Amino acid sequence: YAVNTVAALIAIFYGFTDEIHQAFVPARSATMIDAAKDLIGVTVLYWLVNHTYFRSPDRPLGRWLKSVENYFTA
């Protein structure tokens, strides 16, 4: 699970740096609510994948995620 945690932390960090970047781009806005949405989205998907794909792979969502993986790795 360490690799998944690192990937989630990188995604969160990227979301925050993207908001900082947007603060300096004309016609773009950087808001804390967008950063919070990024954080919540990464956290929810991290939890969802860990609890369905890794811990309960026999449940329907776990099987579906496995089929998606097989499709892209085949």
Side-chain angles (χ1 to χ4, degrees), residues 18-58:
D18 186 45
E19 292 303 317
I20 294 168
H21 163 261
Q22 288 180 20
F24 298 100
V25 176
R28 298 292 305 259
S29 65
T31 63
M32 288 305 293
I33 194 71
D34 285 345
K37 289 175 186 176
D38 292 340
L39 174 66
I40 291 169
V42 170
T43 303
V44 166
L45 285 176
Y46 173 79
W47 182 87
L48 184 69
V49 168
N50 274 330
H51 285 278
T52 58
Y53 181 77
F54 292 111
R55 294 187 184 169
S56 303
D58 338 343

